[in-house]
Amino acid sequence: MSEQNEKNMLGKKISRREMLKITGIGSAGIVIGASGLPGILNAFGANPFVDDDDTAVNKIKFYGGHQSGIATPIPEHVYFVSLKCKAKTKQELKEMFQLWTNQSAELMNGRFVEPLSDNKLMPPADTGEAKGLDASHLTLTFGVGPSLFENEAYGLAHKKPKELKDLPHFPMDQLDPQYVGGDICIQSCADDPQVAFHAVRNLIRSARGKVTMLWAQTGFNSYPKSKNKKKETPRNLFAFKDGTENPHVDKPQDMNDVVWIQPGESKGWLAGGTYLVARRIQMHLETWDRTALQEQEATFGRHRDSGAPLGKTGEFEAMELDRKENDELVVPEDSHVFLAKQVKDRILRRSFSYSDGINPKTGAFDAGLLFLSFQKHPKQFINIQNSFGKEDKLNEYITHRGSALFACFPGVKKGSYLGAELFQ
Amino acid sequence: MKKVVKITSLVLLSSSLLVGCGGNESTDEAAATEESQQTEGTETQQAAILEEEANTYKEFAMEQLDQFVLETEQFVEAVKAGDVEKAKELYAPARMYFERSEPIAESFGDLDPRIDARLADLEAEGQEENWSGYHKIEYGLWEEGTTEGYDETADQLLNDVKELRAKVETVEVSPDLMITGAVDLLNEVSTSKITGEEEIFSHTDLYDFKANVEGAEKIFEIFKAKLQEKDTELVGTLEENFATLNDLLAQYEDGNGGYVSYEELTDEDTKALSTAVDELGEPLSQMAVVVE
C-alpha cells in the first residue's frame, strides 16, 4: 500500500465516495481524463478517476478492452464470491459499480481502497491486511447472473441475453443449494492469498446493505518451476495436468473465437465481455487414492506424470483418438479427454483446487476443483459437459456440487465504470 | 483529532479513580494525561459542543439503571421466595435495562462480570467457583428448575446492581464512549446474542438482542441533530437500517410483550438477523463524523 494515499494538500480529506457524489462522475457522464486537472483534484485528497499506476510492483492493468482475470496468466490464488444484490434501484446498483471501479483500480495498484481518515474514532477506511504487500498480480473480474435481470426494480429485463440463464441439469449433478447461482460474482485472483481476500473483503464492506454473500470459494494453483522459467501447466488434486488444451490467451484470434463476445453476437452491452461458468466439483480423494495408476490414466486419457496423451510422451502432442493397439482404442472412449474431444467447442479453463477441511458427514477430505471457464457462449460449456454425460469414467471420482453462470462485463475504459454499457 | 484523546483521558481518569488503578491502567492514564496537555483551546470548545448530548445520554443510562434496580429487586424477591415461575418471568425483561445501558455498565470492570458473567467465560479461566450474577441464577431456574441454594447469589446480585447504579452518577460520559458504545452494543449482538450463547439455559437471547439495539438506537437519536449537519445521507441510512432490523425483530415477538425462544429460530432466521445487524453496524461506525 503506497504512501500516495496520504496526500492531504488542503489539510482536509474527502472520501472517494463523497467525491463521486460531488463530481457526479459517471451518472452525469462527466469524464475526467488522466491528463485533466490531477493537481487540483488531488488537492481534495481523493481523485474521482483512479488511473492504473504503471510504477506499481507486480501490477496488472485494470483498464482496457477486456476485464482482467480472464486472459491474464492464472495466478496462484483465487477468492471467488457469489452475491445476492439488495440494491433498491438501478441507480443504486450503478453507483455501487462506480464505487467498485475506483476501488478496484486502487486495489490493483496495490493501494488502500480509500485513504484513512484523520478521525481516529472512525474505523479505518481500508481493512489494512494488505499493507506492505505489493499488487501481487491482483485481478478483479465482475459478472452478473441471470437472476439480476429478473429483479423488476432494475428494469433490466430487456437487456438480458437469451443465453444468460441457469445452466441445465447435467446427468451426474448433485447440486447443493448452498453453492448455486448468484446475482453478481467477483473473481479475485492474486499471487498472494491475503491480497486476493483483502480485495473482496473491502469491496463487500463498501457495498454492505447493497449486496449479501451467497457463497464463496477459495482456490489455489501451484506451478512447478521449469528450467526456462516458463510456467508449467498446474496439476489438480488428482495429480493430472489441467488446462493443457486451453486457447492461447496471447493470440487475439483464438481469444476472439473462443472467449470474447464480438459485436452482434449477443446484447450490445456484452461486446468485449464473456461468460463465466463456475462449478464447485468435489473430488473423492480417498477413492481416487486406492485406484491403480493404469486405471487413473485410463480415466483421464493422459499419462499422469508427463501429461501426454495415452501412448505419447509429450504433454503438447496431439491426441490421436482413432489410434488402436491390439484392436483397442489407446485412449478409451469413456475417458475424460476422449469425451471432451467429441465436441468441437472450446473453452478457456481457469480452474483452481480447493481444500476446505473435512466433510462433517463422512470425515473425508472436503476437497476438489473450483472449475472456472470463460467462453463467449454458455453452450460451449454445456456441449462439453453433456458430452461427458453418464459415460465419463471420471464421474466415479467426482461430484458436481456447485454451479453458476455469469455474464462478465467488457473491460472498463478510462473514466468509465464497470457495467457502464449495461446500466446507462 | 486530539480532542478525542482529551475526552478519552477524562473517562480513563474517572473510571480509574472509581475502581482503583491496575498496573496497566495507571500507565494508560499517564499517557493520556500527557496527550491531553497537548490539546488546544478550540478542541475543548468542540468537546463542549457535545456536552449536551453526553448529558442526555447519562440521564438515559441512569433512568435505565434506576429501573434495573427495581426490576432486580422483584426478581431477587421471587428467587428468595422460591417462586421459580415468577422468577423465570421476570428474568429476561429485567435484564433488558442492563443490556440497553451496557456501554456505561461496562465502565466498571469488576461489576459487569459480577452481574453478567456467563459460565463459559469463567470456565475458560478456571474461575467457575467465582460465578455469580444473573446467569448463575438462570442456570438454577432453567437447568435445575430450582431457586434452592441461590439466596446468597441473589442477595449479592442486588447489592452489585445497586452499587452499579450508585457509581454511574460519577461516570464522565464522552462522545467517544457513546460512539464506541453504540458499535459495541451491535458487536455484542453479533458475537453472542445471534449465536444463542448469551442465554444458554433460558434461550431468551432475543430480549438482550432487542435491548442492545435499543441502546445503540438511543445513542443515534441523541446525536441525530448534530449528525444531520455533518452527513444527511448517513442519518437516512441509519434510520432505514434501524427500521429494517426492528421490523425483522418484531417478527419474533411472542404476542405477550416478549420474544420467542432462541431455539425456535432457524438458520435462515439467524442469518437474516445477523445480516441486518452487519448492515446497520457498518454505517453506525461512521457516526464518528459527529466529532469532526
Side-chain angles (χ1 to χ4, degrees), chain A residues 106-395:
Chain A
E106 286 289 36
L107 288 163
M108 285 174 61
N109 282 336
R111 296 191 203 143
F112 281 169
V113 279
E114 268 190 44
L116 302 188
S117 160
D118 288 336
N119 182 348
K120 294 227 165 19
L121 279 183
M122 285 280 202
D126 184 286
T127 59
E129 71 272 30
K131 174 122 183 133
L133 302 172
D134 63 38
S136 306
H137 296 121
L138 175 70
T139 59
L140 292 162
T141 319
F142 297 82
V144 288
S147 47
L148 187 81
F149 296 81
E150 280 146 26
N151 188 330
E152 286 175 14
Y154 307 144
L156 292 172
H158 64 290
K159 291 206 169 181
K160 182 178 174 182
K162 58 183 181 309
E163 67 273 18
L164 179 57
K165 55 186 181 200
D166 291 338
L167 292 170
H169 178 82
F170 296 106
M172 301 299 287
D173 275 4
Q174 289 204 40
L175 300 185
D176 177 346
Q178 207 187 321
Y179 293 103
V180 170
D183 295 333
I184 295 171
C185 76
I186 307 174
Q187 176 199 247
S188 173
C189 298
D191 284 333
D192 183 288
Q194 193 146 314
V195 168
F197 179 71
H198 168 260
V200 169
R201 178 182 177 188
N202 281 275
L203 293 170
I204 301 285
R205 180 191 180 200
S206 67
R208 205 171 289 288
K210 299 199 176 65
V211 293
T212 54
M213 292 184 280
L214 282 178
W215 57 276
Q217 184 62 58
T218 57
F220 53 89
N221 268 315
S222 288
Y223 294 92
K225 304 274 184 305
S226 64
K227 282 173 207 133
N228 57 5
K229 284 195 175 171
K230 195 174 171 261
K231 270 191 175 176
E232 289 184 19
T233 313
R235 292 178 191 275
N236 61 29
L237 295 181
F238 285 163
F240 280 75
K241 295 191 175 189
D242 197 342
T244 302
E245 301 253 346
N246 263 342
H248 293 279
V249 292
D250 35 17
K251 286 188 186 157
Q253 191 55 50
D254 222 12
M255 291 299 281
N256 287 342
D257 288 347
V258 179
V259 177
W260 305 128
I261 296 166
Q262 304 300 304
E265 287 182 342
S266 182
K267 293 283 185 186
W269 64 269
L270 257 176
T274 183
Y275 282 98
L276 184 164
V277 167
R279 306 278 288 180
R280 186 180 193 266
I281 305 171
Q282 183 186 353
M283 289 162 66
H284 305 286
L285 302 187
E286 285 79 359
T287 56
W288 180 258
D289 291 347
R290 52 181 182 253
T291 302
L293 176 60
Q294 175 182 299
E295 184 69 7
Q296 291 186 353
E297 295 190 330
T299 300
F300 273 98
R302 286 183 180 275
H303 290 294
R304 187 180 87 153
D305 289 358
S306 64
L310 285 184
K312 307 255 170 160
T313 50
E315 180 189 348
F316 296 99
E317 283 189 66
M319 187 79 56
E320 286 178 294
L321 295 180
D322 300 334
R323 192 172 147 206
K324 288 186 176 180
E325 271 176 24
N326 303 329
D327 238 18
E328 275 189 36
L329 285 166
V330 174
V331 179
E333 47 194 347
D334 57 358
S335 69
H336 196 63
V337 165
F338 186 96
L339 291 166
K341 288 276 169 185
Q342 297 310 302
V343 285
K344 283 201 275 320
D345 296 285
R346 296 167 69 206
I347 56 178
L348 173 65
R349 281 172 295 155
R350 222 171 171 277
S351 300
F352 295 82
S353 295
Y354 74 82
S355 145
D356 275 0
I358 56 171
N359 180 328
K361 280 189 189 140
T362 60
F365 284 113
D366 183 2
L369 189 73
L370 174 63
F371 171 96
L372 298 171
S373 73
F374 294 91
Q375 49 276 305
K376 62 162 71 177
H377 197 292
K379 74 169 193 289
Q380 293 162 262
F381 169 80
I382 294 169
N383 291 347
I384 292 173
Q385 191 58 27
N386 274 329
S387 167
F388 294 138
K390 288 182 178 142
E391 280 76 59
D392 189 359
K393 264 178 92 69
L394 195 55
N395 287 339

Side-chain angles (χ1 to χ4, degrees), chain A residues 46-64:
Chain A
N47 192 328
F49 161 61
V50 180
D51 202 351
D52 279 317
D53 173 5
D54 294 329
T55 65
V57 178
N58 290 328
K59 175 187 166 50
I60 289 177
K61 278 190 191 303
F62 173 74
Y63 297 99

